[in-house]
Amino acid sequence: MDGGFFLAQLDFFPAMDYDHMQEEEVTETIVQHPVHVRPRRLPRPRVFRQRLVLEHMSDRKIVDDYRLTRTAIHQLYHEIRDDIDPTTHRSHAVPGLAKLLTVLQFLATGTFQHVLGGNSGVDQATVSRHLSQVLHALKKCVRQHIAFPTGEEEQRRVKQDFYKIARLPNVLGAIDCTHVALTPPADRELQYRNRKMGHSLNVQVVCDANLRIRDVVTRFPGSCHDSYILSNSALGRKFAEGQNQNGWLLGDAGYGLKTWLLTPLAVPRSDAEKRYNEAHIATRCTIERTFGVLKSRFRCLHISGGSLQYSPEKVADIVLVCCMLHNIALKHHLDIDIVVPPEVDIASSDRGTDASKGNAVRRKVIHDFFSEPRHP
């Protein structure tokens, strides 16, 4: 018999149960895994989004997004690069300049962190870490950009610039406070409630005639009065101790009249007193304009953006850094549209021993400089 025919005949045997054999083969190939063992998942590939690159942006867009020029940003980055640059170039580490740009955009716009992360190529948690790191680095540079005039030549220039406004002599600075809205801690809610029943920090600022910030205090809650903040600030103690006897500050009626702090008259009677009030208001208006420029440039501080969702300590750091960046922007001659300042209140509070001495100083100023009308 042919071998091929014999094999073909053995392919099928009528008495054999082929269906049962197929079931046994199938059951033998099925492997039952224990319930606690899960099949291995394939690792998901990491996707790196495009990071911010300053060289790819136009000069106009840089100023619009970050409120500083290209040159100013590079100079600022070189000041703090040791604190924000990554310690390694492995794992696609975020460059220090990209961290700085993300924080500058937050200060300029006040937008949410997840939106900033989408623009910067990182996620929200990374933006939060970068914000703390960059703020800490920028705080170290504050004394280099915010300083009260101490030298004779510097004080002479400041007085001369103020005198050109309305011929009010010996003015070293205009002082006032502004509120920055925040979400208060639950256990300290009353401390941060201000007179308008909102929650804020009450920030004291002293500026010169060119809107440059010369002194700033950011640690007091919104419930504190302006005069209380001045009395407990380092600058107020220096003036009270007589360390700055070559000039005085200009304040509104919220401050008590002192020998080194001039306030407007509540009820001017003579023409000289009216001229003094006009000169005082015109000169002190520089601090209102400073607040307008500061909050227009850094919208995170403006009430239109809502309250800052951070701890009071972090909000104080944000305000301090914004004041420093404001001075840097002025140094590079950057202009900004100004928010209309509030109306000036001239209701005076001339009481106490210091007020009586301050009255003598104010009367002398009125007599010496405003007794006769002056023409430009």
Side-chain angles (χ1 to χ4, degrees):
M1 183 180 293
D2 184 59
F5 176 79
F6 178 76
L7 292 176
Q9 294 296 322
L10 293 178
D11 283 348
F12 178 77
F13 188 72
M16 187 174 292
D17 189 358
Y18 286 96
D19 295 335
H20 179 70
M21 292 177 60
Q22 290 178 359
E23 290 179 2
E24 290 181 353
E25 292 177 359
V26 172
T27 55
E28 290 177 359
T29 58
I30 297 176
V31 179
Q32 297 292 335
H33 293 280
V35 178
H36 64 278
V37 177
R38 295 182 179 180
R40 181 180 178 183
R41 298 178 60 184
L42 295 177
R44 186 175 60 180
R46 298 181 66 184
V47 178
F48 299 104
R49 290 175 286 180
Q50 186 177 1
R51 302 280 168 77
L52 289 172
V53 180
L54 200 61
E55 286 71 18
H56 296 170
M57 303 180 189
S58 64
D59 293 340
R60 182 70 262 172
K61 181 172 177 57
I62 290 174
V63 175
D64 290 342
D65 289 351
Y66 308 115
R67 302 297 193 263
L68 295 176
T69 62
R70 190 189 307 271
T71 303
I73 292 175
H74 280 294
Q75 290 178 357
L76 185 62
Y77 167 65
H78 285 291
E79 289 185 31
I80 64 173
R81 63 181 305 173
D82 293 339
D83 295 320
I84 65 174
D85 275 346
T87 57
T88 179
H89 293 286
R90 299 174 61 186
S91 303
H92 205 71
V94 181
L97 183 58
K99 299 177 184 179
L100 176 60
L101 292 177
T102 301
V103 174
L104 289 178
Q105 191 172 25
F106 163 73
L107 299 177
T109 61
T111 188
F112 293 104
Q113 290 184 358
H114 71 274
V115 178
L116 294 173
N119 297 336
S120 305
V122 296
D123 58 10
Q124 181 271 328
T126 304
V127 174
S128 180
R129 291 194 300 270
H130 291 172
L131 178 61
S132 300
Q133 183 183 12
V134 175
L135 286 177
H136 181 73
L138 290 173
K139 280 177 59 181
K140 298 180 180 180
C141 306
V142 168
R143 293 186 180 274
Q144 302 176 20
H145 301 280
I146 300 178
F148 195 80
T150 54
E152 293 183 3
E153 181 61 25
E154 187 179 12
Q155 288 185 352
R156 186 190 64 81
R157 289 197 302 267
V158 172
K159 293 177 183 179
Q160 187 176 6
D161 291 339
F162 272 117
Y163 185 79
K164 291 178 182 178
I165 298 176
R167 304 198 174 196
L168 196 62
N170 295 333
V171 179
L172 289 175
I175 185 172
D176 201 0
C177 290
T178 185
H179 288 265
V180 177
L182 56 76
T183 301
D187 56 341
R188 293 180 289 167
E189 185 268 339
L190 289 178
Q191 295 182 17
Y192 293 92
R193 185 182 297 176
N194 55 42
R195 59 186 176 87
K196 295 184 178 180
M197 304 308 293
H199 300 94
S200 62
L201 285 181
N202 198 5
V203 181
Q204 174 183 284
V205 176
V206 178
C207 73
D208 61 17
N210 299 313
L211 311 187
R212 181 181 176 87
I213 295 177
R214 294 291 188 165
D215 186 79
V216 57
V217 180
T218 63
R219 67 179 185 273
F220 288 91
S223 61
C224 294
H225 193 269
D226 296 0
S227 59
Y228 174 83
I229 298 175
L230 177 60
S231 301
N232 290 273
S233 65
L235 183 65
R237 288 193 293 268
K238 287 181 180 179
F239 270 100
E241 294 169 359
Q243 298 184 26
N244 292 314
Q245 298 181 353
N246 298 326
W248 43 66
L249 301 175
L250 296 184
D252 61 9
Y255 297 97
L257 184 62
K258 303 179 185 299
T259 57
W260 46 270
L261 177 63
L262 298 184
T263 60
L265 290 160
V267 184
R269 293 181 175 84
S270 65
D271 292 338
E273 291 179 348
K274 293 179 182 178
R275 285 191 291 269
Y276 164 79
N277 261 16
E278 293 173 358
H280 186 284
I281 294 173
T283 306
R284 201 198 68 84
C285 187
T286 54
I287 187 62
E288 304 292 349
R289 293 170 54 211
T290 299
F291 290 148
V293 172
L294 177 66
K295 293 187 176 183
S296 297
R297 177 172 279 129
F298 301 105
R299 302 297 294 183
C300 67
L301 305 181
H302 200 270
I303 189 62
S304 62
S307 60
L308 288 168
Q309 307 294 315
Y310 301 96
S311 66
E313 294 76 16
K314 196 164 190 175
V315 173
D317 292 343
I318 290 173
V319 176
L320 185 63
V321 168
C322 287
C323 291
M324 181 191 74
L325 296 176
H326 165 82
N327 284 353
I328 294 176
L330 291 180
K331 180 181 177 181
H332 289 81
H333 309 288
L334 288 174
D335 297 328
I336 194 74
D337 294 333
I338 303 176
V339 175
V340 179
E343 295 183 358
V344 179
D345 181 18
I346 61 172
S348 183
S349 57
D350 304 342
R351 287 180 284 182
T353 305
D354 290 340
S356 62
K357 295 180 180 179
N359 264 322
V361 175
R362 187 169 60 184
R363 285 196 300 268
K364 186 177 188 305
V365 172
I366 294 173
H367 178 269
D368 293 345
F369 295 93
F370 299 99
S371 57
E372 296 181 0
R374 297 185 171 214
H375 303 284

